[in-house]
C-alpha cells in the first residue's frame, strides 16, 4: 500500500526565491518581471563545503513554476522525485534550478522575441548568475546542464546551441523538433475553429478565451499554441505577430513558415555543430505514442547529431504518450549529473 | 492579459492543520491516521469576533488534500477561487474546511467500511468537533454544509442524509448517483483488462499497478475505480471485498449489486426523506457531457427529491464534462453560505 | 497484386428467390411480407444427385439481404468467400441459405414479437420448408445449421434452442449475449440524446430520423438500437413497446429489464439444456476488442454450456473488433458443414 | 415506415458494360485492362429520340464500380438516388456514366502516371468516345460534366482543367485540395507505423497487408493512402515511386513534395485559368467536419477561382463529415444537368 501521499521526508532542501529581472521589464505582454526561481540543494549540501554541478529545469507550454508541485494521483511530483533520486547515495549530487519562463500566451520557447520578451537572455544572463552568486555551484559550462519536456525539451536543445559557453549538457524529453511533423497538424484545426466559432478572427478568439474558464473549449489548445509559437518564432520588431498560415484556409505561407523552420532544432543543429560537439552530455527521449509525434522529432534530432559525428548520446523511445511522463525526468537528471561532475 | 499567475493576494487566510484520528487508527489498508485538514477563514475573520457558518469540502476519487493547490493552465485553483469569492463583499462570509479522506485505493466514498476504514465517522465525529473547537463556527447543523464533486458530490449527498443532525446544507457537483448509469459501464472493461493483461486476476493487477507509474496503463482507471467502490460498498466484516460482477465475464452478481444499490443516493433518498426535507440548502449540478453520465444521476436525484416534496433546490446542467470544472464550485459555496447564515 | 476486384469466377451458383410469407402479412410495422431469399448451391450441385446439409445465414442489426454484396475495399464479400470455400475440394459441400428478417426498426432478433412481426415463425415455418421443397437438402435437423454475426449471432443461438427439432448446428460470431454487458451501456446515451435534442421524446426522434439521411447524427445508432431491441424483447400484445429504462434519466426499470433478460442466451441456456445438448455443432467466436463487449458474451455463453456439460464446442476470441469481420464467417461455415454431413 | 428496402422501381435504366482498354494494357500494376462502365439512362430515354448531356461520375480512393451498389442501413444507394432524381419531372434529364479507375494501390487520382497507369487518358480518350458512340449524348464539351467525391472530387477538378475541350462542368464533393492541409497529416503516422510494425520498410508492410484481411490494422489506411498518392503524383518514368517524406522520421522532402504540390488543384488553377473560366458549371461542397479538412481545400479552391474572376460557382459547406455523404451527390447532378442542357 502507498504510504502518506501528501509529502515526503525531504533529504535535501528546496529554496524558493525570486529574480528581479531587468531584461523582462517592459516585456511586450506586460507579464511580471519579478520571477520565481526554485533551487534544490542535495542532501549533503549543508554539511559539505564542496561545489556542485547545476542542472536547470524548464517547463513545457503553459507551464509555470508552481505546477511542479501539482500532484497526480498515486504519484510523486518532480521535486519529490529529484529528492528521492539524490537521497540515493549512488547518484552524484547536483543542484537543480527550476526556472519560470511563463508568458500570458503560455510560454516563450526560452527565446528572445519581440512578441513575448527576452526569456533566453533572462535565463542565461540573469538566472544563471543569480544562482551562481548564491550557491556553491561549479560555475562553468563544464558543470552546467539544462533539461525539460515538450517546449522545455525544445529550450533544452536550443539554449546550449546558442550558449555553449554556458551549458555543456542537455536533456530533452519529447522536445519540439522536426517542426513539419508537430506544428502544421494544428493549423487546419485552427482555421476551422476560427471559421466556425470566431468569424475567422483571432482577436475574437482571444476575447472569448479571456472571458471564460481557460482551455474549456474544444479547440482552445491548438488556438493558443499556434499563436504562442508564432509569437516566439515569427514576431516582428514592432511586436506584431505573423502566422505561418492563412487563417481562412490553413494554407501554409512559405515565407513565415521558413522563419519557423529556422528555429527547428533539427535544422539548427548543423549551424551549431561545434556547440553540439562540445556537449559532455546529451540525453534524448520521447514516448512512442506521443500525441505530437515528438518521438519522430527525437529520432530526427538524433540522426542529425549522428550526421555531425555526435554519437555519444543517450537515446530512448519508451512506451508512453506525451502526458504524465514525469517519471522519466529523474533518468535524465541522473545522466546529466553523472556526466557534469 | 493574465496577471502574475503564481499566486494571489490573499484576503482571507488558509490554515494547514492535522487531525490525529482515533477512528482511522488501524484502518484496514494501513493508511495514515494522522490526516491533514485545511481551514479557510474569510477576510474579516481576524478583525471580527463573530461566528460563521462552516462548509466542509471533500474531494473526488484519488483526491488528496494537496491536490487542491494543483494549478491548471491559466486558471486559479479552488482555494484561490474561494478567497476571491469572499473578498467580494457581496457574499456572506463562511469558514471553509478542506477534509482529506484519501485511501490507498483512491478514496473512501466518505463511508465507514471494513474495506477501507471509518471515514464517515472520521469526518463527522472527529473533523467537525476539531474545527468547532478551534474556530469561531456557528457550531450547529443549521449553519453547517458540505460540498464536493464526483465522489465528493456523492459524499455531500449521503453524509447529510446519514447525519442531518450535523449538516443542513449540501452541494453536489456531478456526484455519483443512479448507479446503473455510471458504474456498470466499467465492469466489462475491467473483465476484459483482467483477461487480456492479468490472467483474470485482480491480485496481479494490483501487483503490476504498484510496480510502475500509477495510472499509466489504458485500463488503470476502471480497474482501480471498480475495486475501490467495492471496498466502499460491498466489503465484508473481515475486510474481504466482494465485487458485484464476475471478473471473467463482467456478469452482474445481483446480490452484491444490491448492496451497492443500497448506497445509491437516488435509492437512499426515500429512506432519508425527513433528513432531506430538513435541509436548508440543496445544490445540484453536472455537465451535460459528463463522461460518467452523472448529469443523469443529478436529474434522477432531483426527481426523487421532487417526489418527496422537496423542490426548493438549486439545479443546473451546464455545458461541460466531468473534468476541470472547479469554476463551478464557488457557485455552490456562495449558495450554501447564503442559505446557512 | 490483387486481381480483378469486381467479381470472381463462380464455382457454385447463387439463386435469388422470394418467399410470399403468410405469417408476415399484416406485420405491425407494415414491412413487406414478400421477402427475398438467396440460396447458394455448391460447385457439384448440378452434376450430382446427392443431398446436402443446409446452413441458414442471418444478418446483424440493420442488415438486409442485398448488403451481403456490399464491397469492402480490397476484399471479397461473404457470398464470394462461401464460393471460394466450397471451391476448395477439401471442404464438404453444403447449401447456404441467406435469409432476410429486416424490419423498419432495423431488425427482428429473429423472434416473434407483437412489436415487429413473427420473424422466428417466418424463418422456421416458411423459409425452411420453402428451401427443402426446392433444393436437394438433407431435410432434417441433423443436417441443418444456422449462423450469423451480432444480432445474427443472437438468432443463431436462440433459434436452435427454441427449435432443436429443426437445427442441430449453430455458429455465433459476436452474438448478442450477457445482456448487462452490451445493452445498458447505451441507455444513458439514449436518455441524454433525447434530453438534448428531442425534448425527451422518442416520437420526435423518429420523426427527425425519418426526415433526413439515416444514421447521420451522433446518437442515431443507440437510439435506433435500444428501441428496436425493446420492440423485439418487450413489446406488448397490442404492439406497444415498453422500454427497459426511464427515458428521462436512464434509470433501469427492473420489470421490463427482466423481460429482456429472459431472452438473453446466457439465461436461456439452462432452460434449453436438452436442446443444446442435442447440437452436433456449436461454434462461438468474437473479437477481443468488440465494441459491444460481445467477447464477454461469447465467454459467458461458453461457460454456461460448460456448466451444462457441453464442452465439444469451437471457441475462439480473435484479435479484432465488431466490424468488418466477414473473414471469420467461412471458418464457421466449414465447421458446420463438416459436422452436419 | 420505410418501404421495401431492397430495391426501387426503376424509372430509368442502368446498363452495365465493359471497355477493352488499350491504354491500360500492360499497366505497371498488372491491373485489369478490361474495365466495367455503367451507363444510366433517364426515364424518357427509350421513348424519345433526343440527345442528352452526359455526366461522368468517378469514385474516391479504394472505390470500385460495384461499390456504388453498397447498401447503407436505411438508405438508398447512389444509382437509386440518381434514378429518383430524374424520375422527378422537374429535373432536366441527363445520362450518367459510372467510370472505374481502381488500381491495386486503391486508386489512380484519374491521372496518367508511370506508377499506376494511364487512367486520365483512359477516361478521356477511351470511355468518353465509348459512351458517345453507343448512346444519344450531346457529344461535345458544352454538354459534358464530371463529378466525384474525395479522390473523385479531385479528379473532377483536375480532369476539366487538363481537358476543357471535353468537359465544361465539374462537381467536387470534399475533393482533395490544398495538399498541405490533408496529406502531410498522415506522414508522421506512416513513419511511426513503419517503425513500430514493419522495421521501417514499406515492402514489409505491403507483404503483410496482402497476407491478411485488408484494412484490418490500425494504420492501414494511412499506409495505403500515402503510397498510392506517391504512385500517382511522384512516380518516376521507370515506375519507381518517390515518397515525399523520410520514412524513418516523417521529415518532408521538399523536392518530392513540390512534385505533389504541382498536382494540387489550388496550385494548378492559375495555370489553367482559361480552362476554368470556360466552365459552364462549377459545384463545390464539403462537410465542415471532414476528417481530412477538405472543407478547407474546398474554400481554398473557391478562393483561387474568385481570384481568377470566376465567381459563378455553387459553394456550400454543410454539416457533415467525410463519410456517407452520398445524399449530397444528387444536388450536384441536378446542378450539372441544369447547366449543361
Amino acid at each position: 500500500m502507498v504510504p502518506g501521499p501528501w509529502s515526503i521526508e525531504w533529504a535535501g532542501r528546496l529554496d524558493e526565491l525570486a529574480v528581479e529581472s531587468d531584461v523582462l521589464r517592459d516585456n511586450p505582454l506586460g507579464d511580471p518581471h519579478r520571477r520565481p526561481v526554485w533551487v534544490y540543494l542535495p542532501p549533503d549540501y549543508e554539511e559539505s563545503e564542496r561545489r556542485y554541478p547545476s542542472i536547470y529545469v524548464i517547463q513545457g507550454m503553459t507551464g509555470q513554476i508552481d505546477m511542479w508541485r501539482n500532484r497526480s494521483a498515486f504519484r510523486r511530483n518532480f521535486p519529490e522525485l529529484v529528492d528521492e533520486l539524490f537521497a540515493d547515495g549512488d547518484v552524484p549530487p547536483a543542484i537543480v534550478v527550476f526556472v519560470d519562463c511563463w508568458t500570458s500566451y503560455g510560454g516563450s520557447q526560452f527565446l528572445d522575441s519581440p512578441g513575448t520578451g527576452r526569456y533566453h537572455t533572462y535565463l542565461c544572463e540573469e538566472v544563471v548568475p543569480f544562482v551562481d552568486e548564491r550557491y556553491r555551484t561549479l560555475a562553468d559550462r563544464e558543470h552546467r546542464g539544462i533539461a525539460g519536456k515538450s517546449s522545455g525539451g525544445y529550450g533544452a536543445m536550443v539554449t546550449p546551441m546558442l550558449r555553449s559557453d554556458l551549458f555543456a549538457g542537455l536533456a530533452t524529453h519529447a522536445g519540439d523538433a522536426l517542426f513539419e511533423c508537430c506544428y502544421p497538424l494544428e493549423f487546419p484545426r485552427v482555421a476551422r475553429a476560427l471559421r466556425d466559432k470566431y468569424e475567422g478572427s483571432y482577436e475574437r478568439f482571444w476575447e472569448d478565451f479571456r472571458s471564460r474558464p481557460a482551455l474549456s473549449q474544444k479547440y482552445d489548445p491548438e488556438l493558443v499554441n499556434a499563436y504562442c509559437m508564432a509569437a516566439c518564432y515569427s514576431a516582428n520588431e514592432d511586436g506584431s505577430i505573423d502566422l505561418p498560415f492563412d487563417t481562412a484556409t490553413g494554407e501554409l505561407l512559405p515565407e513565415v513558415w521558413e522563419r519557423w523552420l529556422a528555429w527547428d532544432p533539427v535544422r539548427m543543429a548543423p549551424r551549431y555543430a561545434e556547440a553540439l560537439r562540445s556537449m559532455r552530455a546529451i540525453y534524448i527521449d520521447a514516448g512512442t505514442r506521443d500525441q505530437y509525434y515528438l518521438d519522430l522529432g527525437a529520432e530526427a534530432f538524433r540522426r542529425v547529431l549522428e550526421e555531425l559525428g555526435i554519437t555519444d548520446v543517450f537515446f530512448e523511445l519508451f512506451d508512453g504518450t506525451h502526458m504524465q511522463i514525469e517519471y522519466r525526468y529523474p533518468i535524465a537528471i541522473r545522466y546529466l549529473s553523472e556526466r557534469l561532475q
Side-chain angles (χ1 to χ4, degrees), chain A residues 13-21 32-41 45 56 64-66 68-69 95-101 122 126-137:
Chain A
R13 192 179 95 201
L14 188 66
D15 288 356
E16 301 195 18
L17 306 146
V19 175
E20 200 76 29
S21 167
H33 68 277
R34 183 180 161 82
R35 313 289 296 204
V37 174
W38 294 354
V39 180
Y40 171 82
L41 304 172
Y45 186 86
Y56 288 73
Q64 54 185 79
I65 201 165
D66 57 322
W68 284 122
R69 286 221 180 81
I95 291 171
V96 179
V97 184
F98 300 81
V99 185
D100 183 294
C101 290
Y122 165 66
E126 296 189 325
V127 180
V128 169
F130 177 93
V131 170
D132 285 340
E133 280 161 24
R134 283 164 182 75
Y135 294 94
R136 294 197 311 280
T137 55

Side-chain angles (χ1 to χ4, degrees), chain A residues 10-329:
Chain A
W10 284 78
R13 192 179 95 201
L14 188 66
D15 288 356
E16 301 195 18
L17 306 146
V19 175
E20 200 76 29
S21 167
D22 281 329
V23 301
L24 295 183
R25 204 179 300 274
D26 304 321
N27 67 73
L29 300 180
D31 289 322
H33 68 277
R34 183 180 161 82
R35 313 289 296 204
V37 174
W38 294 354
V39 180
Y40 171 82
L41 304 172
D44 69 349
Y45 186 86
E46 300 197 40
E47 295 100 67
S48 88
E49 297 192 353
R50 62 167 290 199
R51 292 189 167 268
Y52 298 85
S54 55
I55 302 170
Y56 288 73
V57 176
I58 52 182
Q59 295 178 295
M61 179 68 185
T62 76
Q64 54 185 79
I65 201 165
D66 57 322
M67 287 182 183
W68 284 122
R69 286 221 180 81
N70 280 8
R71 171 75 59 206
S72 293
F74 299 110
R75 295 203 196 180
R76 295 282 165 230
N77 59 36
F78 178 51
E80 292 168 348
L81 291 173
V82 166
D83 191 57
E84 287 183 354
L85 178 74
F86 288 117
D88 177 355
D90 188 37
V91 181
I95 291 171
V96 179
V97 184
F98 300 81
V99 185
D100 183 294
C101 290
W102 181 90
T103 75
S104 46
Y105 286 147
S108 66
Q109 297 300 90
F110 310 93
L111 300 176
D112 288 348
S113 164
T116 55
R118 299 175 59 204
Y119 288 88
H120 171 68
T121 301
Y122 165 66
L123 170 56
C124 295
E125 297 294 328
E126 296 189 325
V127 180
V128 169
F130 177 93
V131 170
D132 285 340
E133 280 161 24
R134 283 164 182 75
Y135 294 94
R136 294 197 311 280
T137 55
L138 291 161
D140 57 27
R141 72 175 297 277
E142 304 301 317
H143 305 88
R144 199 180 286 114
I146 185 165
K149 176 215 162 186
S150 198
S151 285
Y154 174 81
M157 283 183 277
V158 303
T159 307
M161 287 198 237
L162 299 169
R163 294 301 300 271
S164 59
D165 60 313
L166 288 182
F167 295 97
L170 73 88
T172 168
H173 305 282
D176 298 13
L178 196 64
F179 282 7
E180 66 266 51
C181 284
C182 54
Y183 297 134
L185 283 64
E186 298 186 335
F187 301 162
R189 296 172 64 84
V190 168
R192 182 179 279 178
L194 292 177
R195 176 193 72 197
D196 290 347
K197 300 182 56 177
Y198 301 108
E199 301 169 44
S201 158
Y202 240 123
E203 287 66 40
R204 299 219 173 192
F205 162 68
W206 283 113
E207 212 175 303
D208 175 60
F209 182 78
R210 293 186 181 115
S211 72
R212 54 167 171 83
L215 299 173
S216 59
Q217 295 295 313
K218 186 178 176 190
Y219 290 113
D220 281 359
E222 294 92 323
L223 285 158
V224 171
N225 197 61
Y227 203 86
C228 181
M229 292 303 112
C232 299
Y233 298 141
S234 54
N236 304 309
E237 280 312 308
D238 64 359
S240 64
I241 289 170
D242 292 337
L243 290 163
F245 58 93
D246 182 331
T247 53
T249 60
E251 184 176 348
L252 216 54
L253 303 177
E255 327 76 52
V256 188
W257 180 238
E258 284 299 323
R259 291 162 68 189
W260 284 43
L261 287 183
W263 284 110
D264 181 350
V266 175
R267 271 79 180 188
M268 289 173 73
R271 299 204 305 276
Y272 294 93
E274 280 321 301
L276 288 164
R277 286 193 193 105
S278 75
M279 291 296 123
R280 301 177 66 205
I282 297 181
Y283 173 107
I284 306 166
D285 77 10
T288 53
R289 293 177 282 125
D290 189 285
Q291 287 85 340
Y292 306 102
Y293 301 104
L294 296 172
D295 49 333
L296 299 178
E299 169 68 2
F301 189 60
R302 187 197 67 72
R303 288 194 171 219
V304 69
L305 292 180
E306 191 177 56
E307 287 164 19
L308 299 172
I310 304 163
T311 56
D312 178 19
V313 302
F314 177 102
F315 181 76
E316 185 181 349
L317 301 186
F318 58 86
D319 175 33
T321 71
H322 194 71
M323 304 305 172
Q324 293 205 302
I325 54 173
E326 82 295 332
Y327 56 89
R328 298 289 309 176
Y329 308 169

